[in-house]
């Protein structure tokens, strides 16, 4: 379903799916390197039409560029390869949609997008703050990805939603900068106002969903959202100027039922439709 065609790969209005199967810095359960393949396989069984958005993928120009061939043992080389692929995508005028991989893969993507769109705002859906200064002494970690992003966007250009896990220090930081928000209707309205006309990067760590719905992830965290909450969120994001996005942290083999991959593929479909609607 996601493969697109040759012409769509060169269509300047296209959304480009890029797989980044990297899980080199995971702290708990590995396996997100199989995320992009899991999403593609599950996508084949989904309808291309979304009743909520009332749009069909057939009306969206997108293409799957396949997976990057990343060296698992070398974080820096892997990240620079991702950044290069995102830059190439932006050079072609396409909108990058990265499929992880662990959350660290978002860092080079956001760097590349930020270089093109200096006023970029970042909205993170996640169970975890990802605001650690470092994790076990390592600064380039999935647990530090938003902290690294804040170093070039500023904390005042970041909003975090769904967060329910972090250190006391992370919570102090997030409260100080007011980055945290919720899925309450009034907060989503305020989020949309806050984004306004500014270019938006949407980073979706799939562990924002409750482990009951998405157990196939490296660091499951109780107390997460359901599908309807996510859809309500995305509905609010319709009409925003989305210039980059990702869906990360699916580890398909950790869910023998396969349902996590189906949920992730449906997330990708809805994001394609919401971002694609504003592009022609
Ligand atoms: Mn994360
Ligand atoms: Mn997370």
């Amino acid at each position: 379903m996601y493969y697109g065609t040759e012409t769509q790969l060169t269509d300047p209005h296209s959304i480009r799916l890029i797989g980044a199967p990297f899980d080199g810095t995971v702290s708990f359960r590995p396996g997100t390197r199989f995320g992009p393949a899991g999403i593609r396989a599950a996508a084949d069984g989904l309808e291309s039409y979304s009743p909520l958005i009332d749009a069909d993928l057939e009306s969206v120009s997108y293409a799957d560029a396949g997976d990057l061939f990343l060296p698992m043992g070398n974080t820096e080389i892997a990240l620079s390869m991702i950044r290069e692929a995102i830059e190439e995508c932006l050079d072609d005028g396409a909108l990058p949609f990265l499929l992880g991989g662990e959350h660290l893969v978002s860092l080079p993507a956001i760097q590349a997008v930020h270089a093109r769109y200096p006023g970029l705002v970042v909205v993170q859906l996640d169970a975890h703050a990802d605001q650690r200064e470092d994790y076990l002494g390592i600064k380039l970690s999935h647990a530090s990805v938003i902290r690294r992003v804040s170093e070039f966007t500023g904390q005042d250009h970041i909003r975090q939603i769904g967060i329910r896990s972090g250190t006391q220090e992370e919570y102090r930081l997030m409260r100080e900068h007011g980055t945290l928000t919720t899925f309450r209707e009034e907060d989503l309205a305020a989020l949309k106002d806050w984004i306004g006309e500014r270019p938006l990067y949407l980073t979706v760590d799939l562990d924002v969903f409750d482990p009951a719905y998405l157990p196939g992830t490296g660091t499951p965290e109780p107390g997460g959202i359901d599908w309807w909450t996510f859809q309500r969120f995305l509905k609010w994001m319709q009409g925003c100027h989305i210039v980059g996005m990702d869906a990360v942290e699916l580890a398909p083999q950790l869910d023998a039922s396969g349902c996590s991959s189906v949920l992730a593929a449906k997330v990708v479909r809805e994001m394609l439709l919401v971002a694609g609607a504003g592009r022609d």
Side-chain angles (χ1 to χ4, degrees):
M1 186 174 94
Y2 288 147
Y3 297 94
T5 63
E6 277 294 317
T7 45
Q8 283 175 331
L9 260 181
T10 52
D11 174 353
H13 299 293
S14 178
I15 301 172
R16 187 176 301 175
L17 290 158
I18 300 167
F22 180 78
D23 60 6
T25 82
V26 287
S27 46
F28 187 35
R29 313 191 294 183
T32 60
R33 72 181 70 179
F34 304 114
I39 288 171
R40 290 189 185 96
D44 291 338
L46 285 184
E47 294 286 1
S48 55
Y49 172 72
S50 163
L52 176 92
I53 300 169
D54 187 24
D56 194 292
L57 277 180
E58 280 172 19
S59 66
V60 176
S61 180
Y62 65 91
D64 187 351
D67 283 354
L68 298 167
F69 197 58
L70 303 170
M72 211 52 70
N74 191 316
T75 303
E76 276 168 32
I77 291 178
L79 297 191
S80 72
M81 286 174 71
I82 295 167
R83 180 162 180 165
E84 237 167 78
I86 300 295
E87 280 169 353
E88 197 180 295
C89 171
L90 293 165
D91 283 343
D92 293 344
L95 187 156
F97 189 171
L98 195 67
L99 305 177
E102 60 161 85
H103 209 162
L104 186 61
V105 301
S106 304
L107 177 62
I110 300 174
Q111 279 169 335
V113 173
H114 179 259
R116 304 294 163 105
Y117 299 94
L120 187 74
V121 294
V122 177
V123 173
Q124 171 205 12
L125 279 77
D126 206 323
H128 310 94
D130 294 350
Q131 287 268 22
R132 287 171 189 259
E133 174 50 28
D134 62 73
Y135 187 67
L136 305 175
I138 294 168
K139 287 191 147 205
L140 289 175
S141 162
H142 66 104
S144 298
V145 59
I146 295 303
R147 184 68 170 269
R148 294 289 88 78
V149 166
S150 77
E151 289 166 355
F152 55 87
T153 64
Q155 292 282 358
D156 60 341
H157 282 65
I158 294 170
R159 286 292 180 274
Q160 303 176 271
I161 184 164
I163 314 299
R164 52 193 185 274
S165 175
T167 64
Q168 192 168 30
E169 194 195 340
E170 286 178 295
Y171 270 87
R172 203 175 291 135
L173 182 84
M174 296 187 293
R175 286 175 183 139
E176 181 193 331
H177 291 286
T179 60
L180 290 172
T181 188
T182 81
F183 290 100
R184 279 193 295 265
E185 212 57 12
E186 62 269 29
D187 285 343
L188 292 176
L191 178 65
K192 178 133 191 185
D193 281 347
W194 176 81
I195 295 166
E197 303 288 306
R198 294 184 287 179
L200 168 66
Y201 189 102
L202 198 55
T203 178
V204 178
D205 182 333
L206 291 158
D207 66 28
V208 70
F209 286 97
D210 194 85
Y213 306 113
L214 196 132
T217 190
T219 320
E221 194 67 48
I225 62 167
D226 59 14
W227 172 254
W228 306 110
T229 305
F230 178 77
Q231 271 205 330
R232 205 159 43 73
F233 163 81
L234 261 196
K235 190 94 178 141
W236 275 103
M237 292 301 106
Q238 266 187 301
C240 287
H241 182 210
I242 297 172
V243 294
M245 49 189 188
D246 62 58
V248 300
E249 294 284 352
L250 173 71
Q253 77 289 359
L254 294 176
D255 175 6
S257 79
C259 289
S260 298
S261 299
V262 172
L263 178 51
K266 202 163 168 177
V267 164
V268 170
R269 181 190 79 188
E270 301 295 272
M271 288 170 75
L272 279 171
L273 289 169
V274 165
R279 283 184 69 77
D280 8 66

